Amino acid sequence: MGSMPPVVWSEDVLRHEPGAEIWVGVRTPGTEVPDRARVLLAAVTAAGAEVLRAQPHDDSILRAVHDPGMLHHLATVADDWAAGEYLALVGQDRVVPYFFPTAGMLDGLPATPPAATHARAGMWCYDTMTLVGPGTWEAARAAVDVALTAADLVAAGTPATYALVRPPGHHATRRAFGGSCYLNNAAVAAEALRAHGHDRVAVIDIDAHHGNGTQAVFWQRPDVFYGSLHVDPGAGWFPHVVGHATEMGEGDGAGATYNRPLPPGTADDDWLAALADVCDRARGAQAMVVSLGVDAAGADPESPLEVSTEGFRRAGEILAGLGLPTVLVHEGGYDLTRLGPDTVAVLSAFGS
Ligand SMILES: [Zn+2]
């Protein structure tokens, strides 16, 4: 005991079963599975962490991050889909969009909300990888309660907490979900720390992928810094069109975004140097949210970065070395053998 920060948890995060991902038109097995959370819970428990139950919260902070229309969509579309005979018609039991009313399609025309559920399916998401089924909303909303409870504890004086959540969140923007993410748990935690009186909050994102959703939420905000190191989207990796070094915020938020895209194959030393650089840019923050993805692990099927468990341990030391009140929010990590050890390696630097 004492070598790990307190862990916040809800059984309800297990309720989302992606079932599949549709990639280049092909149905493939989903990798963002409930077993990820079971593995993490077993690992932090074995490491001696205290596990605390998430408390229910209202939608006030959540609505500061996401459009209420998107929240309503996610809360209702699985039931509407189930009532729409898609299973009987074509054997499809998950909400899968086929139609995206993009800015290019509308070209300035006003859009009327669609009558068909299969058209509505594409109104609030941007890929075909992030399916909605029974339990998706309940799990995503539970993850938000976990993040908010973890932020409450830090606001009350706990030096650091770990929000053990799935589905992950950093690809979810204000008005669209995607990239296996539905609700942006890290952005919610940052907003909660702001609401608790921390005037300047840093979000440091060590997931292997750029957190386009978090960057978008805070793009024009000077009070929340977003810094990320990730595999270079320019090398062909998700989220493809954003996450480049030239993106540094806009308007009042100019200078409060910082990206360190890294080439495929990047291993410990270069990855840790990039992390130290990102942390330098976060100076002046009064509290921190870590988007804790561990898919930069060498064996991870979702990224070509090559970070070792020892690298994650050193990353924890760099992050904890900032000495800030910290909420660590889980993001990616899809190799079930590395997920537990790598996460504990980061967290162990935050034990009291
Ligand atoms: Zn990732």
Side-chain angles (χ1 to χ4, degrees):
M1 298 295 177
S3 65
M4 291 277 286
V7 173
V8 185
W9 162 254
S10 166
E11 291 275 345
D12 286 339
V13 306
L14 300 172
R15 295 176 65 180
H16 167 60
E17 294 266 6
E21 299 171 346
I22 312 296
W23 189 70
V24 298
V26 178
R27 190 178 180 98
T28 59
T31 55
E32 201 291 287
V33 292
D35 272 352
R36 297 180 61 245
R38 295 189 183 97
V39 162
L40 287 167
L41 185 63
V44 297
T45 302
E50 179 186 14
V51 178
L52 305 169
R53 190 158 297 276
Q55 300 300 312
H57 288 69
D58 67 23
D59 283 353
S60 54
I61 301 279
L62 183 57
R63 282 166 180 261
V65 171
H66 290 297
D67 189 304
M70 179 178 129
L71 301 177
H72 179 260
H73 173 77
L74 276 172
T76 58
V77 72
D79 283 348
D80 289 354
W81 188 272
E85 299 191 276
Y86 300 104
L87 180 58
L89 287 169
V90 293
Q92 183 56 267
D93 63 345
R94 291 296 191 277
V95 179
V96 184
Y98 86 109
F99 167 82
F100 299 91
T102 62
M105 177 210 170
L106 292 167
D107 219 0
L109 300 181
T112 301
T117 304
H118 54 282
R120 190 185 139 205
M123 294 292 288
W124 300 96
C125 71
Y126 61 81
D127 67 24
T128 60
M129 304 281 291
T130 312
L131 310 190
V132 178
T136 298
W137 166 253
E138 289 77 7
R141 188 61 184 79
V144 165
D145 279 334
V146 172
L148 287 169
T149 303
D152 289 345
L153 289 165
V154 166
T158 304
T161 55
Y162 170 52
L164 197 178
V165 294
R166 70 170 286 275
H170 72 154
H171 296 308
T173 69
R174 185 172 299 283
R175 294 190 296 124
F177 58 94
S180 300
C181 299
Y182 300 88
L183 301 175
N184 196 318
N185 308 305
V188 165
E191 282 286 7
L193 291 172
R194 285 285 293 110
H196 280 301
H198 295 287
D199 288 337
R200 193 168 153 74
V201 175
V203 180
I204 308 288
D205 189 333
I206 69 168
D207 188 276
H209 305 97
H210 176 251
N212 59 296
T214 313
Q215 174 171 299
V217 167
F218 299 116
W219 182 240
Q220 300 194 17
R221 292 262 300 266
D223 56 334
V224 180
F225 169 86
Y226 177 73
S228 177
L229 58 157
H230 48 266
V231 63
D232 186 0
W237 291 85
F238 195 93
H240 301 291
V241 297
V242 289
H244 300 278
T246 49
E247 299 158 25
M248 304 196 76
E250 240 177 44
D252 290 345
T257 292
Y258 186 63
N259 287 309
R260 281 293 307 263
L262 301 166
T266 297
D268 289 7
D269 288 347
D270 290 342
W271 186 74
L272 290 161
L275 174 60
D277 181 32
V278 169
C279 288
D280 274 349
R281 307 283 174 141
R283 271 193 302 250
Q286 295 155 3
M288 173 167 66
V289 174
V290 177
S291 262
L292 175 51
V294 293
D295 43 4
D300 198 282
E302 302 287 345
S303 114
L305 301 180
E306 298 287 341
V307 177
S308 71
T309 302
E310 170 64 11
F312 283 108
R313 190 192 65 74
R314 288 162 63 194
E317 289 182 350
I318 291 170
L319 290 162
L322 292 174
L324 295 170
T326 300
V327 181
L328 300 110
V329 179
H330 207 92
E331 302 282 2
Y334 305 94
D335 174 10
L336 296 179
T337 66
R338 287 282 301 273
L339 182 57
D342 290 353
T343 301
V344 168
V346 175
L347 293 177
S348 53
F350 287 90
S352 49

